Amino acid sequence: MSKKNSISTPVGYSRGDKIFFGCNYVLMAVLALITLYPMLYVAFCSFSGPNEFALVRGLMLKPAGFSLEGYKMVFQMSSIWLGYRNTLMYLALGTAFSMAMTIMGAFMLSHTDFELKKPAMILIVFTMYFGGGMIPTYLCVNALGLNNTLWAVLLPGGVSVYNMIVLRTSFNGIPKGLIESATIDGASDMVVLFRIVLPLSLAALATITLFYAVGYWGAWYNAMIYLQKRRDLYPLQLFLRELLILDTGNEQFLNSMSGTEANRYLVKEIVKYCVIMVATVPILVVYPFIQKYFVKGVMVGAMKE
């Protein structure tokens, strides 16, 4: 074959490649549908009418009837608005606190002259595998006088060791010569951190921030343990737990409704689906705007030193 023909011959996929790619596409589509359908099912149920919802059997491909009665009841619950306020407060304060501690820890273990880096790193990693447990942690929080305060929710799980290691590895990916040049010019550690390290690590920072924010948005366990006497500090997810699992929190609305007991039961079931949507949609709306940082940020954190 001449050189001219070898260059001009197009390279295509073989039949086996096309079959392989086709099977992959079908498999990915099925997995995406399996993942998406539970959320669609909850959305369809939340917009359904009570009488039509009672007749549904099996899969739902659209709302059974159409009614906003469930959402009207949800937004009349003072606990929902209180939970939203508290969750947003925990999200803002907790994410800021966690990011500050994680950044300082990652920077200390990467671009500072701290002599005990290795022993400190060993102790930090040790906590990933071994912990005191729930009872010693509770006793410690109680001894510090943090019970029934918002600090009991923020401080015990304020720093994720995994996130700190990822951010530290990301910081280590910054050329050391750049840091050394700034240090020779008289830059302090704080100047190096805020003017060099952080601007060059925006992708990793966005990823870790989102991890913390999602964690605080869905957190409820610490609040259940430490805020037993402070219902006014309950996050949204704890009120959601009361409605879905304990079946409490909405009796005042159901008792004021007219109709049969069966109809009130159906409305109560629809209200549960509406509460799930109200608690889930906000974080789903945020994801598309930061999703592009996910792969880039995690890959940056996975670079070798």
Side-chain angles (χ1 to χ4, degrees):
M1 182 181 294
S2 65
K3 183 177 180 181
K4 180 179 179 180
N5 291 337
S6 63
I7 295 176
S8 61
T9 302
V11 178
Y13 294 113
S14 65
R15 182 185 298 272
D17 291 335
K18 293 179 180 179
I19 294 175
F20 175 75
F21 291 140
C23 292
N24 278 344
Y25 292 148
V26 172
L27 178 61
M28 291 298 104
V30 171
L31 291 177
L33 182 61
I34 293 175
T35 304
L36 182 62
Y37 181 73
M39 192 64 191
L40 290 177
Y41 179 84
V42 172
F44 293 155
C45 291
S46 68
F47 287 108
S48 298
N51 297 328
E52 295 84 355
F53 178 73
L55 303 176
V56 173
R57 297 293 183 272
L59 299 176
M60 285 186 67
L61 301 179
K62 62 178 182 179
F66 183 80
S67 175
L68 297 177
E69 188 64 28
Y71 285 101
K72 292 179 181 178
M73 293 186 63
V74 168
F75 289 119
Q76 290 175 3
M77 297 179 183
S78 59
S79 60
I80 296 298
W81 297 108
L82 178 61
Y84 257 115
R85 186 203 71 178
N86 293 337
T87 295
L88 291 175
M89 176 180 64
Y90 293 138
L91 189 148
L93 296 178
T95 303
F97 171 76
S98 296
M99 284 302 299
M101 297 299 295
T102 303
I103 289 172
M104 287 190 292
F107 183 68
M108 180 196 70
L109 297 172
S110 58
H111 291 295
T112 62
D113 296 328
F114 183 51
E115 297 180 355
L116 301 177
K117 285 183 182 180
K118 290 186 177 180
M121 193 65 193
I122 293 174
L123 292 176
I124 291 172
V125 173
F126 181 84
T127 64
M128 295 181 66
Y129 301 98
F130 303 96
M134 183 181 69
I135 295 177
T137 303
Y138 178 85
L139 294 176
C140 180
V141 171
N142 187 53
L144 293 173
L146 301 178
N147 259 349
N148 298 303
T149 67
L150 62 87
W151 298 110
V153 178
L154 300 180
L155 293 182
V159 178
S160 167
V161 174
Y162 172 81
N163 291 341
M164 182 184 293
I165 293 175
V166 170
L167 200 58
R168 167 186 173 270
T169 309
S170 174
F171 288 172
N172 280 332
I174 299 174
K176 293 187 180 299
L178 190 62
I179 308 296
E180 292 174 356
S181 299
T183 304
I184 292 174
D185 291 338
S188 63
D189 287 339
M190 298 301 291
V191 172
V192 171
L193 174 62
F194 285 102
R195 294 195 177 184
I196 298 178
V197 175
L198 294 185
L200 294 178
S201 307
L202 292 181
L205 291 173
T207 304
I208 300 303
T209 300
L210 188 57
F211 284 164
Y212 277 126
V214 172
Y216 279 110
W217 179 267
W220 60 273
Y221 187 75
N222 280 359
M224 182 186 69
I225 298 296
Y226 300 120
L227 300 180
Q228 297 184 15
K229 297 181 180 179
R230 293 295 304 274
R231 184 180 174 83
D232 59 308
L233 292 178
Y234 277 13
L236 178 62
Q237 302 299 333
L238 202 52
F239 287 115
L240 179 61
R241 176 180 177 270
E242 288 186 347
L243 289 169
L244 299 181
I245 300 178
L246 303 181
D247 202 19
T248 60
N250 58 350
E251 294 88 349
Q252 56 180 330
F253 297 98
L254 295 177
N255 292 335
S256 63
M257 290 176 53
S258 60
T260 63
E261 185 69 24
N263 184 66
R264 288 170 25 174
Y265 172 79
L266 293 173
V267 172
K268 182 176 68 173
E269 292 300 308
I270 292 176
V271 166
K272 291 181 179 181
Y273 291 113
C274 293
V275 171
I276 294 175
M277 292 298 298
V278 168
T280 306
V281 167
I283 201 67
L284 293 179
V285 172
V286 175
Y287 259 96
F289 298 99
I290 316 180
Q291 185 180 9
K292 62 181 179 180
Y293 294 107
F294 257 38
V295 175
K296 184 178 179 181
V298 174
M299 290 303 294
V300 169
M303 292 175 60
K304 295 182 178 180
E305 299 182 18

